[in-house]
């Protein structure tokens, strides 16, 4: 079975731009704006072909990139409209500072992710004071009144259950990422079930990505998959080496 | 990691007495070994604040009887008495959706709500109302008189109507200042 | 009964991190003594299945990380699944920019972040702090005590310094060189 993810997994225009930049940075010190613009626009084309929502944000960034590229092509001796020039420089600086902020938060998010992962391995006791130590002595305090309770109820009941697809933009599931995640999990745990792995996924396409990842890893002999009958849990085991 | 230490971790998170057979299965060792390790664990706890006790078909960790006076005083202190954010959310769901099952509450909140519901039940704010006539006979919960007393209304009819309820700014401020922000 | 054993009993029944001041009050001893006894308790737990962890303004007993493979197999409530990359990024933005609105988070990330924020809210890691007094009354989000506990920090001040995560100057240089047009 072959499964190709044609569009790289990226989330929104800033993320796309960052990924393109990082790819170029590997071998050049200065990014070629021309290449960047071409690639960025080809992604927008691909998105249209895939019938994905190209939001105005994508177009705004594309516009800025094209204008900057056009400016580079002008001879330095050319006469420039000072206002236009200033506006363009402002746009550029705004884009650069957004990119920097984006990189910074991605970086620190990775640290927070690791810490959360570590925290999740330490379980607290949730049973509280049990009957043998006289729970009737516990004076329970409800920190809100009836009005507060109603407001809380409204907030919970109105939370969207299933996120709508068009809000998710380009958060396409990638089999590659699923493979990485599965391998990480099996480095942590000896055994798990497919249900446990996909329990947090909200979209069917993501579950499909994980299933394909599972088949791929089994094919590579990195894990063992078993299922007692067609209704029972799919058990995933780290393969013995 | 030593086997007796693993057993301690299991018994620590257990919500009911754990049979030897179950521990043997989780650890993939024979029952006799589990029993020997339990004896070792029990001995190592001798001068500690918790002890190993055999109860209804299994083993559990409990606080030592000598610690009771302090545990009792602790029960009245803020961190023991205050409901968590998760428990409050469950309480709001039960109040407005009752009678409601455990699974329904979890479904509405989008996260597993078992522990929080148990806390509310233990604290006497909700109780099992009946059992549903569907496979598994799940229990459904309803709020109690104590709940009405604690939120300061005389009857369920006095709870604000959700349909035309707009949260006043004052509540949202108190939400921020008042119950802080925990949710386990 | 030894003081560190009493503390162990209190922390055993606690449902959230307990501040030192509260333990001092229950035991009627100075804070310094509580701190010394906590250190003693922590040391005595070294080879056990549980350990003492400081987080969210207090102390809590939790299982050791090494016991996790067994605890996970055994635990009554499934441990929460990993957060998606999008959710983690939103969490980082909320943590460092709070209180922050949905629109602000989306602006910083350059992509609509509603679904990810809802996931974080359901998990109890962030909560609506208040509403802004501007048209539409947008909600602003802040992290919760549960977030601090899960990340394992005592207070927001203990989060990693954001300045340490800003990309190196060479990154900006190459961007500026590439995006050109700055010689004037």
């Amino acid at each position: 079975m072959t499964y190709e993810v044609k569009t790289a997994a990226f989330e929104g225009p800033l993320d796309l731009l960052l990924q393109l930049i990082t790819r170029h940075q590997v071998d050049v010190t200065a990014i070629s704006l021309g290449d960047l613009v071409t690639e960025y626009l080809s992604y927008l084309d691909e998105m249209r072909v895939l019938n994905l929502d190209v939001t105005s944000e994508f177009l705004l960034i594309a516009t800025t990139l094209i204008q900057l590229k056009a400016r580079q092509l002008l001879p330095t001796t050319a006469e420039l409209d000072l206002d236009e020039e200033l506006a363009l420089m402002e746009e550029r600086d705004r884009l650069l500072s957004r990119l920097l902020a984006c990189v910074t938060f991605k970086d620190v998010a990775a640290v927070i992710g690791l810490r959360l992962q570590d925290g999740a391995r330490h379980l607290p006791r949730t049973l509280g004071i049990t009957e043998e130590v006289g729970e009737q002595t516990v004076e329970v305090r409800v920190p809100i009144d009836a009005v507060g309770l109603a407001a809380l109820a409204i907030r919970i009941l109105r939370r969207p259950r299933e996120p709508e697809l068009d809000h998710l933009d380009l958060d396409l599931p990638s089999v590659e990422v699923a493979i990485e995640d599965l391998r990480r999990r099996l480095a942590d745990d000896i055994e798990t079930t497919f249900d446990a792995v996909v329990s947090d996924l909200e979209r069917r396409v993501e579950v499909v990505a994980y299933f394909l990842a599972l088949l791929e890893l089994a094919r590579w002999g990195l894990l063992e998959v078993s299922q007692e009958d067609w209704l029972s849990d799919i058990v995933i085991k780290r393969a013995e080496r | 990691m030593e086997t007796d230490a693993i057993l301690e971790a299991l018994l620590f998170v257990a919500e009911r007495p754990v049979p030897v057979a179950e521990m043997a299965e989780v650890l993939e060792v024979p029952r006799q070994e589990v029993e020997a390790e339990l004896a070792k664990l029990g001995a190592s706890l001798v001068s500690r604040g918790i002890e190993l006790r055999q109860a209804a078909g299994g083993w559990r960790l409990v606080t030592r009887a000598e610690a009771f006076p302090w545990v009792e005083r602790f029960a009245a202190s803020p961190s023991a008495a205050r409901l968590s954010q998760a428990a409050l959310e469950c309480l709001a769901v039960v109040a407005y959706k009752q009678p409601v099952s455990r699974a329904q509450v979890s479904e509405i909140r989008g996260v597993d709500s078992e522990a929080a519901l148990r806390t509310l039940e233990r604290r006497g704010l909700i109780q099992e109302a009946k059992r549903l006539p569907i496979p598994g006979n799940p229990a459904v919960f309803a709020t109690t008189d104590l709940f009405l007393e604690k939120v300061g209304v005389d009857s369920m009819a006095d709870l604000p109507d959700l349909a035309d309820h707009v949260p006043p700014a004052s509540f949202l401020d108190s939400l921020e200042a008042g119950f802080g922000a925990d949710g386990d």
Side-chain angles (χ1 to χ4, degrees), chain A residues 97-139:
Chain A
S97 68
R98 285 185 74 189
L99 282 173
L100 279 187
C102 210
V103 174
T104 306
F105 282 115
K106 274 178 193 296
D107 202 50
V108 81
V111 175
I112 288 178
L114 286 174
R115 294 230 189 156
L116 281 175
Q117 220 172 301
D118 177 59
R121 301 173 77 82
H122 296 278
L123 271 75
R125 185 172 172 275
T126 54
L127 207 48
I129 299 171
T130 47
E131 62 281 1
E132 67 266 24
V133 262
E135 63 174 307
Q136 43 286 72
T137 57
V138 179
E139 175 68 20

Short mmCIF file of all heavy atoms in Angstrom, two decimals, chain A residues 97-139:
data_model
loop_
_atom_site.label_atom_id
_atom_site.label_comp_id
_atom_site.label_asym_id
_atom_site.label_seq_id
_atom_site.Cartn_x
_atom_site.Cartn_y
_atom_site.Cartn_z
N SER A 97 8.88 40.43 12.47
CA SER A 97 8.70 40.28 13.91
C SER A 97 7.66 39.21 14.22
O SER A 97 7.77 38.50 15.22
CB SER A 97 8.35 41.62 14.57
OG SER A 97 7.07 42.02 14.18
N ARG A 98 6.69 39.05 13.34
CA ARG A 98 5.73 37.96 13.55
C ARG A 98 6.42 36.60 13.40
O ARG A 98 6.16 35.66 14.15
CB ARG A 98 4.57 38.05 12.54
CG ARG A 98 3.60 39.15 12.85
CD ARG A 98 2.43 39.11 11.91
NE ARG A 98 1.53 38.01 12.22
CZ ARG A 98 0.52 37.65 11.44
NH1 ARG A 98 0.30 38.27 10.30
NH2 ARG A 98 -0.26 36.66 11.78
N LEU A 99 7.30 36.52 12.41
CA LEU A 99 8.04 35.26 12.22
C LEU A 99 8.89 34.94 13.44
O LEU A 99 8.93 33.80 13.91
CB LEU A 99 8.93 35.35 10.98
CG LEU A 99 8.24 35.17 9.63
CD1 LEU A 99 9.21 35.46 8.50
CD2 LEU A 99 7.68 33.76 9.49
N LEU A 100 9.54 35.97 13.97
CA LEU A 100 10.39 35.76 15.15
C LEU A 100 9.56 35.30 16.34
O LEU A 100 9.93 34.36 17.04
CB LEU A 100 11.12 37.07 15.52
CG LEU A 100 12.36 37.39 14.73
CD1 LEU A 100 13.05 38.61 15.34
CD2 LEU A 100 13.32 36.21 14.70
N ALA A 101 8.41 35.97 16.55
CA ALA A 101 7.55 35.59 17.67
C ALA A 101 7.09 34.14 17.49
O ALA A 101 7.08 33.35 18.43
CB ALA A 101 6.35 36.53 17.75
N CYS A 102 6.75 33.81 16.26
CA CYS A 102 6.26 32.47 15.96
C CYS A 102 7.33 31.42 16.28
O CYS A 102 7.05 30.41 16.93
CB CYS A 102 5.89 32.42 14.48
SG CYS A 102 4.60 31.29 14.09
N VAL A 103 8.56 31.69 15.86
CA VAL A 103 9.66 30.76 16.13
C VAL A 103 9.88 30.62 17.63
O VAL A 103 10.07 29.52 18.15
CB VAL A 103 10.97 31.25 15.46
CG1 VAL A 103 12.14 30.38 15.86
CG2 VAL A 103 10.81 31.26 13.96
N THR A 104 9.83 31.76 18.33
CA THR A 104 10.06 31.75 19.77
C THR A 104 9.01 30.88 20.48
O THR A 104 9.35 30.04 21.31
CB THR A 104 9.99 33.19 20.33
OG1 THR A 104 10.90 34.00 19.59
CG2 THR A 104 10.35 33.22 21.80
N PHE A 105 7.76 31.08 20.13
CA PHE A 105 6.71 30.30 20.80
C PHE A 105 6.77 28.83 20.43
O PHE A 105 6.50 27.97 21.26
CB PHE A 105 5.33 30.90 20.52
CG PHE A 105 5.06 32.12 21.35
CD1 PHE A 105 4.91 33.36 20.76
CD2 PHE A 105 4.98 32.03 22.73
CE1 PHE A 105 4.68 34.49 21.53
CE2 PHE A 105 4.75 33.14 23.51
CZ PHE A 105 4.60 34.38 22.91
N LYS A 106 7.13 28.54 19.19
CA LYS A 106 7.27 27.13 18.81
C LYS A 106 8.37 26.48 19.66
O LYS A 106 8.23 25.35 20.11
CB LYS A 106 7.65 27.00 17.34
CG LYS A 106 6.45 27.01 16.40
CD LYS A 106 6.93 26.93 14.97
CE LYS A 106 5.81 27.24 14.00
NZ LYS A 106 4.73 26.26 14.07
N ASP A 107 9.44 27.22 19.85
CA ASP A 107 10.58 26.70 20.58
C ASP A 107 10.21 26.42 22.04
O ASP A 107 10.48 25.35 22.57
CB ASP A 107 11.72 27.72 20.51
CG ASP A 107 13.07 27.09 20.77
OD1 ASP A 107 13.34 26.06 20.12
OD2 ASP A 107 13.82 27.59 21.62
N VAL A 108 9.57 27.39 22.66
CA VAL A 108 9.24 27.22 24.08
C VAL A 108 8.10 26.20 24.22
O VAL A 108 8.01 25.50 25.23
CB VAL A 108 8.92 28.58 24.73
CG1 VAL A 108 7.51 29.03 24.46
CG2 VAL A 108 9.18 28.52 26.24
N ALA A 109 7.25 26.08 23.19
CA ALA A 109 6.17 25.08 23.24
C ALA A 109 6.75 23.67 23.33
O ALA A 109 6.20 22.81 24.02
CB ALA A 109 5.27 25.21 22.01
N ALA A 110 7.87 23.47 22.67
CA ALA A 110 8.51 22.16 22.72
C ALA A 110 8.95 21.83 24.14
O ALA A 110 8.80 20.71 24.62
CB ALA A 110 9.70 22.12 21.77
N VAL A 111 9.47 22.85 24.84
CA VAL A 111 9.91 22.65 26.22
C VAL A 111 8.71 22.34 27.12
O VAL A 111 8.73 21.40 27.92
CB VAL A 111 10.65 23.90 26.74
CG1 VAL A 111 11.00 23.73 28.22
CG2 VAL A 111 11.89 24.15 25.93
N ILE A 112 7.65 23.13 26.94
CA ILE A 112 6.45 22.90 27.74
C ILE A 112 5.88 21.52 27.46
O ILE A 112 5.45 20.81 28.36
CB ILE A 112 5.41 24.02 27.47
CG1 ILE A 112 5.90 25.32 28.11
CG2 ILE A 112 4.04 23.64 28.01
CD1 ILE A 112 5.00 26.51 27.89
N GLY A 113 5.93 21.11 26.18
CA GLY A 113 5.45 19.78 25.81
C GLY A 113 6.22 18.68 26.53
O GLY A 113 5.62 17.75 27.06
N LEU A 114 7.53 18.83 26.59
CA LEU A 114 8.36 17.83 27.29
C LEU A 114 8.03 17.79 28.78
O LEU A 114 7.94 16.74 29.38
CB LEU A 114 9.84 18.14 27.09
CG LEU A 114 10.40 17.81 25.71
CD1 LEU A 114 11.83 18.30 25.59
CD2 LEU A 114 10.33 16.31 25.45
N ARG A 115 7.85 18.99 29.33
CA ARG A 115 7.53 19.05 30.76
C ARG A 115 6.18 18.42 31.07
O ARG A 115 6.02 17.74 32.07
CB ARG A 115 7.52 20.50 31.22
CG ARG A 115 8.88 21.15 31.14
CD ARG A 115 9.19 21.80 32.44
NE ARG A 115 10.38 22.60 32.37
CZ ARG A 115 10.61 23.62 33.17
NH1 ARG A 115 9.72 23.96 34.07
NH2 ARG A 115 11.74 24.28 33.08
N LEU A 116 5.21 18.68 30.18
CA LEU A 116 3.89 18.10 30.38
C LEU A 116 3.97 16.58 30.29
O LEU A 116 3.33 15.86 31.03
CB LEU A 116 2.90 18.62 29.33
CG LEU A 116 2.33 20.01 29.54
CD1 LEU A 116 1.48 20.41 28.35
CD2 LEU A 116 1.49 20.06 30.81
N GLN A 117 4.78 16.13 29.35
CA GLN A 117 4.95 14.70 29.16
C GLN A 117 5.52 14.08 30.42
O GLN A 117 5.11 13.02 30.85
CB GLN A 117 5.93 14.50 28.00
CG GLN A 117 5.58 13.38 27.07
CD GLN A 117 6.52 13.43 25.89
OE1 GLN A 117 6.58 14.43 25.18
NE2 GLN A 117 7.27 12.38 25.69
N ASP A 118 6.49 14.77 30.99
CA ASP A 118 7.09 14.28 32.23
C ASP A 118 6.06 14.32 33.36
O ASP A 118 5.92 13.38 34.12
CB ASP A 118 8.31 15.14 32.60
CG ASP A 118 8.92 14.71 33.91
OD1 ASP A 118 9.31 13.53 33.99
OD2 ASP A 118 8.97 15.51 34.85
N GLY A 119 5.32 15.44 33.42
CA GLY A 119 4.31 15.58 34.47
C GLY A 119 3.25 14.49 34.39
O GLY A 119 2.77 14.01 35.41
N ALA A 120 2.92 14.08 33.17
CA ALA A 120 1.88 13.06 32.98
C ALA A 120 2.31 11.70 33.49
O ALA A 120 1.50 10.81 33.68
CB ALA A 120 1.49 12.98 31.51
N ARG A 121 3.61 11.53 33.71
CA ARG A 121 4.10 10.25 34.20
C ARG A 121 4.07 10.16 35.72
O ARG A 121 4.41 9.15 36.30
CB ARG A 121 5.51 9.99 33.67
CG ARG A 121 5.57 9.99 32.15
CD ARG A 121 6.99 9.91 31.65
NE ARG A 121 7.50 8.56 31.76
CZ ARG A 121 7.25 7.61 30.88
NH1 ARG A 121 6.51 7.87 29.84
NH2 ARG A 121 7.74 6.42 31.03
N HIS A 122 3.74 11.29 36.35
CA HIS A 122 3.59 11.29 37.81
C HIS A 122 2.11 11.40 38.14
O HIS A 122 1.50 12.42 37.87
CB HIS A 122 4.30 12.50 38.43
CG HIS A 122 5.78 12.49 38.24
ND1 HIS A 122 6.63 11.77 39.04
CD2 HIS A 122 6.56 13.11 37.33
CE1 HIS A 122 7.87 11.95 38.64
NE2 HIS A 122 7.87 12.76 37.60
N LEU A 123 1.54 10.35 38.68
CA LEU A 123 0.11 10.41 38.97
C LEU A 123 -0.16 10.75 40.44
O LEU A 123 0.46 10.18 41.32
CB LEU A 123 -0.57 9.09 38.61
CG LEU A 123 -1.06 9.02 37.18
CD1 LEU A 123 0.10 8.82 36.23
CD2 LEU A 123 -2.10 7.93 37.02
N PRO A 124 -1.12 11.66 40.67
CA PRO A 124 -1.49 11.94 42.04
C PRO A 124 -2.56 10.96 42.50
O PRO A 124 -3.12 10.22 41.69
CB PRO A 124 -2.08 13.35 41.95
CG PRO A 124 -2.69 13.39 40.59
CD PRO A 124 -1.82 12.52 39.71
N ARG A 125 -2.83 10.94 43.76
CA ARG A 125 -3.93 10.14 44.29
C ARG A 125 -5.16 11.03 44.22
O ARG A 125 -5.09 12.22 44.51
CB ARG A 125 -3.61 9.76 45.73
CG ARG A 125 -4.61 8.82 46.38
CD ARG A 125 -4.07 8.36 47.72
NE ARG A 125 -5.09 7.62 48.47
CZ ARG A 125 -6.00 8.18 49.22
NH1 ARG A 125 -6.03 9.49 49.36
NH2 ARG A 125 -6.89 7.45 49.86
N THR A 126 -6.30 10.47 43.78
CA THR A 126 -7.48 11.31 43.60
C THR A 126 -8.60 10.94 44.56
O THR A 126 -9.68 11.51 44.51
CB THR A 126 -8.03 11.16 42.17
OG1 THR A 126 -8.24 9.78 41.91
CG2 THR A 126 -7.07 11.73 41.15
N LEU A 127 -8.32 9.99 45.43
CA LEU A 127 -9.39 9.45 46.27
C LEU A 127 -9.77 10.37 47.43
O LEU A 127 -10.85 10.26 48.00
CB LEU A 127 -8.97 8.07 46.79
CG LEU A 127 -10.07 7.09 47.11
CD1 LEU A 127 -11.08 7.01 45.99
CD2 LEU A 127 -9.47 5.72 47.39
N GLY A 128 -8.89 11.27 47.81
CA GLY A 128 -9.19 12.18 48.91
C GLY A 128 -9.23 11.49 50.26
O GLY A 128 -8.60 10.46 50.46
N ILE A 129 -10.02 12.06 51.16
CA ILE A 129 -10.13 11.48 52.50
C ILE A 129 -11.20 10.39 52.46
O ILE A 129 -12.33 10.64 52.06
CB ILE A 129 -10.52 12.57 53.52
CG1 ILE A 129 -9.42 13.64 53.55
CG2 ILE A 129 -10.72 11.98 54.90
CD1 ILE A 129 -9.78 14.86 54.35
N THR A 130 -10.84 9.19 52.81
CA THR A 130 -11.81 8.09 52.70
C THR A 130 -12.54 7.86 54.02
O THR A 130 -12.17 8.41 55.05
CB THR A 130 -11.12 6.80 52.24
OG1 THR A 130 -9.95 6.64 53.02
CG2 THR A 130 -10.76 6.88 50.78
N GLU A 131 -13.56 7.02 53.93
CA GLU A 131 -14.49 6.87 55.07
C GLU A 131 -13.82 6.55 56.39
O GLU A 131 -14.23 7.06 57.43
CB GLU A 131 -15.58 5.84 54.73
CG GLU A 131 -15.10 4.42 54.46
CD GLU A 131 -14.54 4.28 53.04
OE1 GLU A 131 -14.50 5.26 52.29
OE2 GLU A 131 -14.14 3.17 52.70
N GLU A 132 -12.75 5.77 56.37
CA GLU A 132 -12.22 5.36 57.68
C GLU A 132 -11.61 6.52 58.46
O GLU A 132 -11.36 6.40 59.65
CB GLU A 132 -11.22 4.21 57.56
CG GLU A 132 -9.94 4.53 56.86
CD GLU A 132 -10.04 4.18 55.39
OE1 GLU A 132 -11.15 4.14 54.84
OE2 GLU A 132 -9.00 3.97 54.79
N VAL A 133 -11.38 7.66 57.79
CA VAL A 133 -10.94 8.81 58.57
C VAL A 133 -12.07 9.83 58.69
O VAL A 133 -11.83 11.02 58.86
CB VAL A 133 -9.68 9.51 57.99
CG1 VAL A 133 -8.45 9.05 58.72
CG2 VAL A 133 -9.56 9.28 56.52
N GLY A 134 -13.29 9.34 58.61
CA GLY A 134 -14.42 10.21 58.92
C GLY A 134 -14.64 11.33 57.93
O GLY A 134 -14.36 12.49 58.22
N GLU A 135 -15.14 11.00 56.75
CA GLU A 135 -15.31 12.03 55.74
C GLU A 135 -16.44 13.00 56.09
O GLU A 135 -16.52 14.09 55.56
CB GLU A 135 -15.57 11.42 54.38
CG GLU A 135 -16.85 10.62 54.34
CD GLU A 135 -17.15 10.14 52.93
OE1 GLU A 135 -17.16 10.98 52.04
OE2 GLU A 135 -17.35 8.94 52.76
N GLN A 136 -17.33 12.57 57.02
CA GLN A 136 -18.43 13.48 57.36
C GLN A 136 -17.91 14.79 57.97
O GLN A 136 -18.61 15.79 57.98
CB GLN A 136 -19.50 12.83 58.25
CG GLN A 136 -19.06 11.97 59.43
CD GLN A 136 -18.53 10.61 59.01
OE1 GLN A 136 -17.46 10.51 58.46
NE2 GLN A 136 -19.26 9.55 59.28
N THR A 137 -16.67 14.74 58.44
CA THR A 137 -16.13 15.96 59.04
C THR A 137 -15.72 16.97 57.97
O THR A 137 -15.41 18.10 58.28
CB THR A 137 -14.89 15.65 59.90
OG1 THR A 137 -13.95 14.99 59.08
CG2 THR A 137 -15.25 14.79 61.09
N VAL A 138 -15.67 16.53 56.72
CA VAL A 138 -15.23 17.44 55.66
C VAL A 138 -16.32 18.47 55.37
O VAL A 138 -17.42 18.13 54.97
CB VAL A 138 -14.89 16.66 54.37
CG1 VAL A 138 -14.46 17.63 53.29
CG2 VAL A 138 -13.80 15.65 54.64
N GLU A 139 -15.99 19.70 55.59
CA GLU A 139 -16.93 20.79 55.30
C GLU A 139 -16.69 21.23 53.87
O GLU A 139 -15.67 21.84 53.56
CB GLU A 139 -16.67 21.94 56.28
CG GLU A 139 -17.48 23.18 56.03
CD GLU A 139 -18.98 23.02 56.27
OE1 GLU A 139 -19.37 22.08 57.00
OE2 GLU A 139 -19.74 23.83 55.73
#
